[in-house]
Amino acid sequence: MIQVGIIGGAGYTAGELIRLLIHHREVKINFVYSTSNAGNKISDIHQDLIGEIDQKFSDKINTDVDVLFLCLGHGNSKTFLENNHFSSATKIIDLSNDFRLLNDRVFQGKEFVYGLPELNLEAIKTANYIANPGCFATTIQLALLPLAKHDLLQSDIHVNAVTGATGAGTSLSKTTHYTWRDNNFSYYKPFTHQHLGEINQSLTQLQTSFSNEVNFMPNRGNFSRGIFATAYSKFEGTLEEAKHIYLDFYKDAKFTFLSDVELHLKQVVNTNKCLVHLHKHNDKLLISSITDNLLKGASGQAIHNMNLMYGFEESEGLNLKATYF
Amino acid sequence: MIQVGIIGGAGYTAGELIRLLIHHREVKINFVYSTSNAGNKISDIHQDLIGEIDQKFSDKINTDVDVLFLCLGHGNSKTFLENNHFSSATKIIDLSNDFRLLNDRVFQGKEFVYGLPELNLEAIKTANYIANPGCFATTIQLALLPLAKHDLLQSDIHVNAVTGATGAGTSLSKTTHYTWRDNNFSYYKPFTHQHLGEINQSLTQLQTSFSNEVNFMPNRGNFSRGIFATAYSKFEGTLEEAKHIYLDFYKDAKFTFLSDVELHLKQVVNTNKCLVHLHKHNDKLLISSITDNLLKGASGQAIHNMNLMYGFEESEGLNLKATYF
Amino acid sequence: MIQVGIIGGAGYTAGELIRLLIHHREVKINFVYSTSNAGNKISDIHQDLIGEIDQKFSDKINTDVDVLFLCLGHGNSKTFLENNHFSSATKIIDLSNDFRLLNDRVFQGKEFVYGLPELNLEAIKTANYIANPGCFATTIQLALLPLAKHDLLQSDIHVNAVTGATGAGTSLSKTTHYTWRDNNFSYYKPFTHQHLGEINQSLTQLQTSFSNEVNFMPNRGNFSRGIFATAYSKFEGTLEEAKHIYLDFYKDAKFTFLSDVELHLKQVVNTNKCLVHLHKHNDKLLISSITDNLLKGASGQAIHNMNLMYGFEESEGLNLKATYF
Amino acid sequence: MIQVGIIGGAGYTAGELIRLLIHHREVKINFVYSTSNAGNKISDIHQDLIGEIDQKFSDKINTDVDVLFLCLGHGNSKTFLENNHFSSATKIIDLSNDFRLLNDRVFQGKEFVYGLPELNLEAIKTANYIANPGCFATTIQLALLPLAKHDLLQSDIHVNAVTGATGAGTSLSKTTHYTWRDNNFSYYKPFTHQHLGEINQSLTQLQTSFSNEVNFMPNRGNFSRGIFATAYSKFEGTLEEAKHIYLDFYKDAKFTFLSDVELHLKQVVNTNKCLVHLHKHNDKLLISSITDNLLKGASGQAIHNMNLMYGFEESEGLNLKATYF
């Protein structure tokens, strides 16, 4: 049993980590740090956990835990690590975007590995510090990486993706008010979403010549969880060739699968899976992909990374029942 | 054309008033008062009105308007009227609960009439000051008043009602966050909801002997608009007798109708109607009733009251298309 | 008062026509034809109309009505007109796609005009037969026509649009089952939706040289009403130039407006409006547009066409209150 | 590893059984019987299972399996067992209502035990045949049984409960059409729901003198999963006394817990838990309880029963992550 600590314990991703870790057979939650909730029971905030966990939030940090999960707002992980010093043996998995880009990968002498198992499996296994990918970034990369591996991204890419309200975090805002969001739809940050950095970086990692544009339109959907993404670009091969490329790329993947049938979001909601589907129309290949933004797009992937770092069974704690309906 | 002013213009009920009044053929909106939004276009806040209204919010009040609608939080109408003095010719329709109860009906020498047209039609026609009923109170009274008129409320009454998220107002709170409310359900204020005062008062107005208990369980539903209420009590007559009582009570009502078939909420959403249905089981009569909490339960009823006070056609501005699906 | 008949009265679009026409001051509903519901009250099917209409569905047709609305499934309007012969004075407004394309515009000697008022205003005013546009087609054309008018569609166009469940009609199917659709998202008919024919035809009407590709990705959203569309393409001018073009194109439009702020779907739900917003990013112009698929995208536009054909006030019967929340 | 078979494999409850059993460490799914889907992959119907199960539906039955789960429509289990004969060693867990009432408990010499673990723990452990309780019945009994055990149900009980659309089964119907159910609410079967039989029977099992009325109002909510129930009745003790009774009754329960704070439905959605909360108002005790209708109210409880019958760890396969948001 390894000991883990969670920083920023009242948010969505910390909550999901706790939900997953209480049933993980190799892990004990050592502390859940939340200054605003210190002394309160974890189940006072994450109220579905009543009857399952008696632990309380703490304002104390154990700097000797085996694994530290950082569930802080973007930009706050660096500050936290500057102000709190952990054992050199403590492995860190950061869920923010602080260490994802190449320029940010080394901090305090710690080398962070971009924790997308489908891309960096071997590097993750030996890593001590993980920059856990963003939710849109995960979903869109898993749609495009197989093509990049074969240098097949040869023209502009058009991506449209819709995310649930949990994507906006727990804070209250106009667009997460129920009366606004209910039966509504809107876009935001057209062509400029911050996850484009990660996406382009990973595509270039596999296809060094990649220089086309990823036109990314993010949307707010009127649901709570999940990301549905479509991407299309020119593709000269046949659908069968494309399927072969994807099946091969994901042949050892534990959570990413090619679907022969068209996708709908709820196939993956409340699971750590990503499903990908391919469709050819004239000279275009349409790739759709779906994930749960809080699991495969955040906390589930974080635990997957931990499992890989420790040599645990990859799916330990992640054999989740989809909500589906 | 009469001139009307609206106080508290950024909230739900003010927004609904504006939506209705811009198409009312006897009314001109003189000003919409909102200190926090003064100078902004009304359509910046009520964004469905783009293309329909150019007017701006004002921090000036015209104290000579013909009608003043008060859309303030409960408790704030009295304060507002203490600080702002209107022409003695200005009629006031207050949407808060400040003047609904008998003890609160006279204020600054103004006599407020409880503005439920199905109960107080003639008094409303000659009133200068209206206390507009609460949304739950409207819905539940319309289910029970016909029985009270005939002294037929002779045992305890069991009421269960569910309201949409607009019932909680525009302010951000945990239970109006989309991720909380989506696909969720809960109760609140069991047996003690503040509308019980109005309800008991009106029942006693018609059935002076009424002394039984109204057990009222309010619930939060995962929808934005509308109230679905069921009420049951002992009733010795037949279903036909009950129907006769209700049909007679509502024979001249412009917006309340008895339905022969079981109800579902969306029949009245985005309308000023109330539908009522009766069902007899053994010795119990079950009455269900549905309204849109922001229209028949607030702004629509306010305009209905204004129409009655001025002798306008009762349904002027209120022939609304249901959303239905 | 003109007399109108409605064919196919149990579906969504017929229901919306009835909801609108009962409050239209120039119209009387002469009959609503539905073989499957003949003899039943209209309010038995369209149950929000309880208290508002006593009329019954009929299996008789009055071939002398002034206006006939055809609300039949695609392909069935032609068959219906072959089997039923109306007065030569009867104007016909067909809501199916039977007469929208140039090759289908003349039938039985009747010349159908494509009923998009923003495109064909004068022709509609003198028309006797209207092919009412499709819902996606309306929304996407209103996003693109101003550019086409100025020959500014000079590269491929990328359109993503999401529609509510009413877009799929009243029939029961897997993807309209509540448990499937709730909190779900999916695409369908990628690049091949049948409305592309209308869209390309209208773009070519204004920009005869138009030969680029409209890449259209339709999606199923988990809401009931409305279409949210985004379209982008290369555009060399400035945002101000684009706004000028759109403002000019829509300067006389009664229901289509340019919004300075980003859109969200509920701004137009339950109205006959279309809102359009422009955004420039590098060399791309992003146009978003929103409509209610059953109103501006179907029955509301049909009544708008009727108003134009008869010289009624354009907005008669169409001053609708948005549901908004 | 025991071998299990599932009959009626395309419905909701069979789907949930499969989702749970593929991760159950003591069980192998031997066959999933569905005549209409025979030969198709299970993941073609339960499409969230892509990547997790390759098995196909079968029209063959293995009559030697260790456990048989019957997921047939009410009334069809008896017929099925008449036409198909299983090994005397095969344990049967029936999810229909065919064997729940005392008069139906013995069939073909098989004695069925009512499988509510909180009520019949010891009998379940030694049972070979289980009548799995209904979803409303489970939720309401867990609210009332602790009082019944102490003969404290001494006056009429008023129950209001709302269920999600999965409660209506997979078949298409008007009230499960998305456009009908979205943002809607309605009641059905007032005072006469078929689960009242089970409820009264269990209450009488613990409180033999019980003869009061359970007034049960079932409602259809606009969500997919879960039941939220409230029940109130006269109670002369204090809230503390009530809590003591409930805590004692559930002290060994693996899935039912008393909550100190008010409940909201999503605390248990996608879990096998039941949460119960108590509130005292004057002379009334209000008990609220929540379950997931397909898990604690169906398939999860069925597996719990299987675990008890075989002496497996009670929570094996049932440590489920709530969806929560």
Side-chain angles (χ1 to χ4, degrees):
Chain A
M1 297 285 271
I2 61 172
Q3 301 284 324
V4 311
I6 298 172
I7 307 297
Y12 290 135
T13 55
E16 294 294 272
L17 278 177
I18 298 166
R19 286 176 188 95
L20 296 172
L21 291 172
I22 56 176
H23 299 305
H24 193 292
R25 288 174 289 178
E26 310 279 1
V27 166
K28 193 174 170 322
I29 297 175
N30 187 279
F31 69 87
V32 180
Y33 178 77
S34 168
T35 49
S36 57
N37 290 287
N40 293 332
K41 292 172 73 170
I42 287 171
S43 62
D44 288 345
I45 297 294
H46 306 298
Q47 297 188 338
D48 57 304
L49 294 177
I50 289 172
E52 299 185 67
I53 184 168
D54 284 330
Q55 223 163 331
K56 294 181 175 176
F57 291 107
S58 172
D59 56 4
K60 298 285 188 309
I61 288 173
N62 175 353
T63 57
D64 286 321
V65 286
D66 296 298
V67 180
L68 183 74
F69 291 98
L70 299 179
C71 300
L72 297 166
H74 299 309
N76 295 335
S77 292
K78 284 187 179 175
T79 309
F80 179 83
L81 292 179
E82 281 164 352
N83 295 331
N84 297 274
H85 300 282
F86 287 82
S87 157
S88 62
T90 298
K91 297 179 195 291
I92 298 176
I93 299 176
D94 177 53
L95 282 79
S96 82
N97 64 10
D98 284 11
F99 308 112
R100 291 178 193 157
L101 298 186
L102 284 173
N103 284 341
D104 300 319
R105 288 279 177 81
V106 180
F107 182 76
Q108 298 177 329
K110 301 176 175 76
E111 193 168 344
F112 282 80
V113 169
Y114 187 68
L116 188 68
E118 290 82 352
L119 178 67
N120 292 328
L121 187 67
E122 295 308 318
I124 293 166
K125 287 179 179 173
T126 58
N128 289 316
Y129 306 104
I130 294 284
N132 211 55
C135 51
F136 272 131
T138 295
T139 316
I140 294 168
Q141 287 177 73
L142 294 175
L144 297 176
L145 288 174
L147 295 177
K149 187 185 172 191
H150 293 268
D151 290 346
L152 288 167
L153 296 174
Q154 296 296 342
S155 66
D156 286 355
I157 302 163
H158 301 277
V159 178
N160 194 290
V162 52
T163 186
T166 50
T170 52
S171 61
L172 300 168
S173 68
K174 180 187 142 188
T175 58
T176 55
H177 195 292
Y178 189 81
T179 64
W180 190 92
R181 192 118 182 179
D182 178 34
N183 272 4
N184 212 351
F185 198 86
S186 60
Y187 75 73
Y188 66 110
K189 300 184 184 170
F191 308 120
T192 59
H193 193 283
Q194 65 273 16
H195 286 183
L196 279 166
E198 294 172 54
I199 294 167
N200 279 304
Q201 181 173 277
S202 294
L203 294 179
T204 308
Q205 179 180 334
L206 293 191
Q207 178 175 339
T208 50
S209 67
F210 180 69
S211 64
N212 290 294
E213 193 159 7
V214 178
N215 297 284
F216 173 27
M217 285 289 302
N219 298 278
R220 299 181 190 94
N222 62 319
F223 45 84
S224 290
R225 280 176 175 265
I227 289 177
F228 187 100
T230 54
Y232 60 86
S233 189
K234 293 244 169 32
F235 178 75
E236 298 190 351
T238 66
L239 179 61
E240 291 317 306
E241 288 165 348
K243 284 186 179 179
H244 182 78
I245 288 168
Y246 278 73
L247 284 171
D248 185 65
F249 192 90
Y250 292 123
K251 66 179 185 297
D252 296 324
K254 279 289 177 291
F255 296 105
T256 301
F257 302 98
L258 191 66
S259 168
D260 283 332
V261 293
E262 291 185 349
L263 303 177
H264 50 106
L265 179 59
K266 289 205 294 187
Q267 291 177 275
V268 298
V269 168
N270 215 24
T271 79
N272 196 48
K273 292 204 294 187
C274 175
L275 292 182
V276 177
H277 175 69
L278 302 175
H279 176 81
K280 187 90 198 291
H281 178 73
N282 295 341
D283 62 346
K284 285 186 287 284
L285 183 68
L286 169 67
I287 312 110
S288 42
S289 64
I290 51 176
T291 64
D292 185 306
N293 57 310
L294 294 176
L295 294 169
K296 180 62 178 166
S299 305
Q301 190 147 265
I303 289 174
H304 187 188
N305 281 314
M306 179 189 73
N307 288 345
L308 290 169
M309 291 158 87
Y310 279 91
F312 300 149
E313 198 179 333
E314 268 193 72
S315 61
E316 175 57 35
L318 298 172
N319 287 320
L320 301 171
K321 183 195 160 302
T323 306
Y324 200 45
F325 34 68
Chain B
M1 298 282 274
I2 61 172
Q3 301 285 324
V4 311
I6 298 173
I7 307 297
Y12 290 135
T13 56
E16 293 295 271
L17 278 176
I18 298 167
R19 284 176 189 94
L20 297 171
L21 291 172
I22 57 175
H23 299 305
H24 194 291
R25 288 174 290 178
E26 310 279 1
V27 166
K28 192 174 170 324
I29 298 176
N30 187 280
F31 69 87
V32 180
Y33 179 77
S34 169
T35 48
S36 57
N37 290 287
N40 294 331
K41 294 174 72 171
I42 288 171
S43 61
D44 287 345
I45 297 296
H46 306 299
Q47 297 189 337
D48 57 306
L49 294 177
I50 289 173
E52 298 186 67
I53 185 168
D54 283 329
Q55 224 163 329
K56 293 181 176 176
F57 290 107
S58 173
D59 56 4
K60 299 285 186 307
I61 288 173
N62 176 352
T63 59
D64 286 321
V65 287
D66 297 298
V67 180
L68 184 73
F69 291 98
L70 299 179
C71 300
L72 297 166
H74 299 310
N76 295 334
S77 293
K78 286 187 177 174
T79 309
F80 179 83
L81 291 179
E82 281 164 354
N83 295 332
N84 296 274
H85 301 283
F86 288 81
S87 157
S88 63
T90 298
K91 298 180 193 292
I92 297 176
I93 299 176
D94 177 52
L95 282 80
S96 83
N97 64 10
D98 283 11
F99 309 112
R100 292 178 193 159
L101 298 186
L102 285 173
N103 284 340
D104 300 320
R105 287 279 177 85
V106 180
F107 181 76
Q108 298 179 327
K110 303 176 174 74
E111 194 166 343
F112 282 81
V113 170
Y114 186 69
L116 188 69
E118 290 82 353
L119 178 66
N120 293 328
L121 187 67
E122 296 308 320
I124 292 166
K125 286 179 180 173
T126 59
N128 290 314
Y129 306 103
I130 293 287
N132 211 56
C135 51
F136 272 131
T138 295
T139 315
I140 293 166
Q141 286 175 74
L142 293 176
L144 297 175
L145 288 174
L147 294 177
K149 188 186 172 191
H150 294 268
D151 291 346
L152 289 167
L153 295 173
Q154 296 296 344
S155 67
D156 286 354
I157 301 163
H158 301 278
V159 178
N160 194 290
V162 53
T163 187
T166 51
T170 52
S171 61
L172 301 167
S173 67
K174 179 186 142 189
T175 60
T176 55
H177 196 293
Y178 189 82
T179 62
W180 190 91
R181 192 116 182 182
D182 178 35
N183 272 3
N184 211 352
F185 198 86
S186 58
Y187 75 74
Y188 66 111
K189 300 182 184 172
F191 309 118
T192 59
H193 193 280
Q194 66 272 16
H195 287 183
L196 279 166
E198 296 171 54
I199 294 166
N200 279 305
Q201 180 173 276
S202 294
L203 294 179
T204 309
Q205 178 180 332
L206 293 192
Q207 178 175 339
T208 51
S209 67
F210 180 70
S211 64
N212 290 295
E213 192 158 10
V214 179
N215 297 283
F216 174 27
M217 286 288 302
N219 299 279
R220 299 180 190 96
N222 61 319
F223 45 85
S224 291
R225 280 178 173 265
I227 289 177
F228 187 101
T230 54
Y232 59 87
S233 190
K234 292 248 167 33
F235 178 75
E236 297 191 352
T238 65
L239 179 60
E240 292 315 307
E241 289 165 349
K243 284 185 179 179
H244 182 78
I245 288 168
Y246 278 73
L247 284 171
D248 185 64
F249 192 90
Y250 292 124
K251 66 178 183 299
D252 297 323
K254 279 288 176 292
F255 296 106
T256 301
F257 303 98
L258 191 66
S259 167
D260 283 333
V261 291
E262 291 184 349
L263 304 176
H264 51 105
L265 179 59
K266 289 206 293 187
Q267 291 177 273
V268 299
V269 167
N270 215 25
T271 80
N272 195 49
K273 295 204 292 187
C274 175
L275 292 183
V276 177
H277 175 70
L278 302 174
H279 177 82
K280 187 92 198 295
H281 178 74
N282 297 339
D283 62 347
K284 284 185 286 282
L285 183 68
L286 170 68
I287 312 109
S288 43
S289 65
I290 52 176
T291 65
D292 185 308
N293 58 310
L294 294 177
L295 294 170
K296 180 63 176 164
S299 305
Q301 190 147 263
I303 289 174
H304 188 190
N305 280 315
M306 178 190 73
N307 288 346
L308 290 168
M309 293 158 86
Y310 278 91
F312 301 149
E313 197 179 335
E314 270 192 71
S315 61
E316 176 56 35
L318 298 172
N319 286 321
L320 301 171
K321 183 196 160 299
T323 306
Y324 200 45
F325 36 65
Chain C
M1 297 283 271
I2 61 172
Q3 302 285 324
V4 310
I6 298 172
I7 308 297
Y12 289 133
T13 56
E16 293 294 272
L17 279 176
I18 297 166
R19 286 176 187 95
L20 296 172
L21 291 172
I22 58 176
H23 299 306
H24 194 291
R25 290 174 288 178
E26 310 280 1
V27 166
K28 193 177 171 322
I29 297 175
N30 187 280
F31 68 88
V32 180
Y33 179 77
S34 168
T35 48
S36 58
N37 289 288
N40 293 332
K41 294 173 72 170
I42 287 171
S43 62
D44 287 346
I45 297 295
H46 306 298
Q47 297 188 340
D48 57 307
L49 295 177
I50 289 172
E52 298 187 66
I53 185 168
D54 283 330
Q55 224 164 330
K56 293 181 175 176
F57 290 107
S58 172
D59 56 3
K60 299 287 187 307
I61 289 173
N62 175 353
T63 57
D64 286 321
V65 287
D66 296 299
V67 180
L68 184 74
F69 290 98
L70 298 179
C71 300
L72 297 166
H74 298 309
N76 294 335
S77 292
K78 285 187 177 174
T79 309
F80 179 82
L81 291 180
E82 281 164 354
N83 296 330
N84 297 274
H85 300 283
F86 287 81
S87 158
S88 62
T90 298
K91 298 180 195 291
I92 298 176
I93 299 175
D94 178 52
L95 282 80
S96 82
N97 64 11
D98 284 11
F99 308 113
R100 291 177 193 160
L101 298 186
L102 284 174
N103 285 340
D104 300 320
R105 288 279 176 83
V106 180
F107 181 75
Q108 297 178 330
K110 302 174 173 76
E111 194 167 342
F112 282 81
V113 169
Y114 186 68
L116 188 68
E118 290 82 352
L119 177 66
N120 293 328
L121 187 68
E122 295 308 318
I124 292 166
K125 287 178 178 173
T126 59
N128 290 313
Y129 306 104
I130 294 285
N132 210 57
C135 51
F136 272 132
T138 294
T139 315
I140 294 167
Q141 287 175 73
L142 293 175
L144 298 176
L145 287 174
L147 295 177
K149 188 186 173 191
H150 293 269
D151 290 348
L152 288 167
L153 296 173
Q154 296 296 343
S155 67
D156 285 354
I157 302 163
H158 301 278
V159 178
N160 195 290
V162 53
T163 187
T166 52
T170 53
S171 61
L172 301 167
S173 67
K174 179 186 141 189
T175 59
T176 55
H177 196 292
Y178 189 80
T179 62
W180 191 91
R181 192 116 181 181
D182 177 35
N183 272 5
N184 212 350
F185 197 86
S186 59
Y187 75 73
Y188 67 111
K189 299 183 186 173
F191 308 118
T192 59
H193 193 280
Q194 64 273 14
H195 286 184
L196 278 167
E198 295 172 53
I199 294 166
N200 279 305
Q201 182 173 275
S202 295
L203 294 180
T204 308
Q205 179 180 332
L206 293 191
Q207 178 175 339
T208 50
S209 67
F210 180 69
S211 64
N212 290 296
E213 193 159 8
V214 178
N215 296 283
F216 174 26
M217 285 289 302
N219 298 280
R220 298 180 190 96
N222 61 319
F223 46 84
S224 290
R225 280 175 174 265
I227 289 177
F228 186 99
T230 53
Y232 58 87
S233 190
K234 293 244 166 38
F235 178 75
E236 297 191 352
T238 65
L239 179 60
E240 292 315 307
E241 287 165 348
K243 284 185 178 179
H244 182 78
I245 288 169
Y246 278 74
L247 284 171
D248 185 66
F249 192 90
Y250 291 124
K251 68 178 182 297
D252 297 323
K254 280 287 177 293
F255 296 105
T256 301
F257 303 97
L258 192 65
S259 168
D260 282 334
V261 292
E262 291 186 350
L263 304 176
H264 51 105
L265 180 59
K266 290 205 292 187
Q267 292 177 274
V268 298
V269 168
N270 215 25
T271 81
N272 196 48
K273 294 205 293 188
C274 175
L275 292 182
V276 177
H277 175 69
L278 302 176
H279 176 82
K280 189 91 198 295
H281 178 73
N282 296 342
D283 62 347
K284 283 186 287 282
L285 182 68
L286 170 67
I287 312 110
S288 43
S289 65
I290 51 176
T291 65
D292 185 308
N293 57 310
L294 294 176
L295 294 170
K296 181 62 177 166
S299 305
Q301 189 146 265
I303 288 174
H304 188 188
N305 280 315
M306 180 190 72
N307 288 347
L308 290 169
M309 292 157 86
Y310 278 92
F312 300 150
E313 198 178 334
E314 268 192 73
S315 62
E316 174 58 34
L318 298 172
N319 286 321
L320 302 170
K321 181 195 161 303
T323 307
Y324 200 46
F325 35 67
Chain D
M1 297 282 274
I2 62 171
Q3 301 285 325
V4 311
I6 298 171
I7 307 296
Y12 289 134
T13 55
E16 293 294 272
L17 278 176
I18 298 166
R19 285 176 188 94
L20 297 172
L21 291 173
I22 56 176
H23 299 305
H24 193 292
R25 287 175 290 180
E26 309 279 0
V27 167
K28 193 177 169 321
I29 297 175
N30 187 279
F31 69 87
V32 180
Y33 178 77
S34 168
T35 49
S36 57
N37 289 288
N40 294 331
K41 292 173 74 170
I42 287 171
S43 62
D44 288 345
I45 296 296
H46 306 299
Q47 296 188 340
D48 57 305
L49 294 177
I50 289 173
E52 298 187 66
I53 185 169
D54 284 328
Q55 222 163 332
K56 293 180 176 177
F57 291 107
S58 171
D59 56 4
K60 300 286 188 305
I61 288 173
N62 176 352
T63 57
D64 286 322
V65 286
D66 296 298
V67 180
L68 184 73
F69 291 98
L70 298 178
C71 300
L72 297 166
H74 298 311
N76 295 334
S77 292
K78 285 187 178 174
T79 309
F80 179 83
L81 291 179
E82 281 163 353
N83 295 331
N84 296 276
H85 301 284
F86 287 80
S87 158
S88 62
T90 298
K91 297 180 195 293
I92 298 176
I93 299 175
D94 178 52
L95 281 81
S96 83
N97 64 11
D98 284 12
F99 308 112
R100 292 176 192 159
L101 299 185
L102 284 172
N103 284 341
D104 300 320
R105 288 280 176 82
V106 180
F107 181 76
Q108 296 179 329
K110 303 174 174 75
E111 194 166 343
F112 282 81
V113 169
Y114 186 69
L116 188 69
E118 290 82 352
L119 178 66
N120 293 328
L121 188 67
E122 296 308 318
I124 292 166
K125 287 179 177 172
T126 59
N128 290 314
Y129 305 104
I130 294 285
N132 210 57
C135 50
F136 272 131
T138 295
T139 316
I140 294 167
Q141 287 175 73
L142 294 175
L144 298 175
L145 288 174
L147 295 176
K149 188 184 173 192
H150 294 268
D151 290 346
L152 289 167
L153 296 172
Q154 295 296 344
S155 67
D156 286 352
I157 302 162
H158 302 278
V159 179
N160 194 290
V162 53
T163 186
T166 51
T170 52
S171 61
L172 301 168
S173 67
K174 179 186 141 188
T175 58
T176 54
H177 195 294
Y178 188 81
T179 63
W180 190 93
R181 193 120 183 177
D182 178 35
N183 272 5
N184 213 351
F185 198 85
S186 60
Y187 75 73
Y188 66 110
K189 300 183 183 172
F191 308 119
T192 59
H193 193 280
Q194 64 273 14
H195 287 183
L196 279 165
E198 295 171 52
I199 294 166
N200 279 304
Q201 181 173 277
S202 294
L203 294 179
T204 309
Q205 178 180 333
L206 292 192
Q207 178 175 340
T208 51
S209 67
F210 180 68
S211 64
N212 291 294
E213 193 158 9
V214 179
N215 296 284
F216 174 27
M217 286 288 301
N219 299 279
R220 298 180 191 95
N222 62 319
F223 46 83
S224 290
R225 279 177 175 265
I227 289 176
F228 186 99
T230 54
Y232 60 86
S233 191
K234 294 245 167 35
F235 178 76
E236 298 190 351
T238 65
L239 179 60
E240 292 316 306
E241 288 165 348
K243 284 185 179 178
H244 182 78
I245 288 168
Y246 278 74
L247 284 170
D248 185 65
F249 193 90
Y250 291 124
K251 65 179 185 295
D252 298 324
K254 279 288 177 292
F255 296 105
T256 301
F257 302 98
L258 192 65
S259 167
D260 282 333
V261 291
E262 292 186 348
L263 303 177
H264 51 106
L265 179 60
K266 290 204 293 187
Q267 292 177 274
V268 298
V269 167
N270 215 25
T271 80
N272 195 50
K273 294 205 291 188
C274 176
L275 292 183
V276 177
H277 175 69
L278 302 175
H279 176 82
K280 189 93 197 294
H281 177 74
N282 297 341
D283 63 346
K284 284 185 288 283
L285 183 69
L286 169 67
I287 313 110
S288 44
S289 64
I290 50 176
T291 64
D292 185 308
N293 58 310
L294 294 176
L295 293 170
K296 180 63 177 166
S299 305
Q301 189 147 264
I303 288 174
H304 188 188
N305 280 315
M306 179 189 73
N307 288 345
L308 291 168
M309 293 158 87
Y310 278 92
F312 301 148
E313 197 179 335
E314 269 192 73
S315 61
E316 174 59 32
L318 298 172
N319 286 321
L320 301 172
K321 181 196 162 298
T323 306
Y324 200 44
F325 34 67

